[in-house]
């Protein structure tokens, strides 16, 4: 198990938040993750690390949607942004793409933004610091513990 997963479990247990930990075959896409969890794609929380200037941010949205980069540029008041590279992600988090959980500080060293698309679901599911472990939990509990800024920055996937 990863250090990130251990830290998430510790955070949830200290706050008395119920959750379900699933161990499964490695998943590399949101669709694969939803399938092995037996859950809908809409409930999946897709976590993306974005770099603006010298700072990285974590944006979380429903796995069925895509990031609206124009909206992100408005939110962060920037003209350019990019996704973190695999190497940057590994050096900052010791994680691989697809394993990033939807938690910023204190779990991961990023300011957290949560898309309103997730608010339409009673529960969320996400890869929890590995490609072989997922957590399912109540959305309201997630919002309470994650403490992210909520805004709209998604668009329907093609």
């Amino acid at each position: 198990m990863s250090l990130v997963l251990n830290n998430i479990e510790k955070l949830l247990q200290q706050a008395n938040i119920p959750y379900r930990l699933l161990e499964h075959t490695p998943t590399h896409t949101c669709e694969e993750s939803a399938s092995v969890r037996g859950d809908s794609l809409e409930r999946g929380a897709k976590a993306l690390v974005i770099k603006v200037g010298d700072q990285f941010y974590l944006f979380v949205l429903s796995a069925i949607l895509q990031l609206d980069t124009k909206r992100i540029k408005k939110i962060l008041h920037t003209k350019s942004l990019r996704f973190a590279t695999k190497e940057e992600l590994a050096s900052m988090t010791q994680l691989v793409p697809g394993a990033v959980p939807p938690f910023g500080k204190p779990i991961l060293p990023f300011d957290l933004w949560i898309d309103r698309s997730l608010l339409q679901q009673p529960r969320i599911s996400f890869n929890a610091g590995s490609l072989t472990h997922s957590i399912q939990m109540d959305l309201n509990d997630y919002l309470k513990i994650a403490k992210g800024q909520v805004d709209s920055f998604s668009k329907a996937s093609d």
Side-chain angles (χ1 to χ4, degrees):
M1 266 201 261
S2 75
L3 177 61
V4 170
L5 174 55
N6 289 337
N7 289 340
I8 293 170
E9 286 196 286
K10 190 183 306 178
L11 180 71
L12 296 175
Q13 290 165 1
Q14 288 173 346
N16 270 340
I17 291 177
Y19 64 95
R20 182 172 172 219
L21 177 64
L22 304 169
E23 189 168 351
H24 50 74
T25 58
T27 59
H28 299 279
T29 67
C30 295
E31 292 81 8
E32 287 176 3
S33 296
S35 178
V36 299
R37 293 179 197 134
D39 210 349
S40 72
L41 194 55
E42 290 87 356
R43 285 191 187 169
K46 178 168 38 177
L48 304 169
V49 179
I50 304 291
K51 184 175 186 184
V52 175
D54 293 334
Q55 188 168 354
F56 290 87
Y57 298 86
L58 182 62
F59 286 87
V60 179
L61 61 156
S62 172
I64 202 163
L65 300 174
Q66 292 180 342
L67 197 66
D68 182 345
T69 55
K70 289 179 184 168
R71 179 71 184 129
I72 299 283
K73 288 175 183 177
K74 282 184 184 175
I75 289 170
L76 297 179
H77 309 291
T78 187
K79 291 183 192 274
S80 65
L81 56 84
R82 66 171 176 82
F83 291 98
T85 65
K86 284 181 3 182
E87 295 77 20
E88 288 168 334
L89 186 63
S91 75
M92 291 181 291
T93 67
Q94 287 71 56
L95 298 175
V96 297
V100 178
F103 289 94
K105 299 169 186 169
I107 302 297
L108 297 176
F110 311 117
D111 290 338
L112 175 65
W113 291 82
I114 301 167
D115 188 68
R116 291 192 195 288
S117 63
L118 285 174
L119 306 184
Q120 300 168 17
Q121 300 298 322
R123 300 181 57 75
I124 64 167
S125 301
F126 52 88
N127 282 5
S130 86
L131 299 176
T132 59
H133 291 86
S134 293
I135 287 180
Q136 295 175 322
M137 63 185 294
D138 181 80
L139 175 74
N140 289 327
D141 287 340
Y142 165 72
L143 293 172
K144 180 172 72 173
I145 199 78
K147 299 181 177 138
Q149 298 184 63
V150 177
D151 207 326
S152 295
F153 48 82
S154 63
K155 60 184 177 181
S157 31
D158 299 329

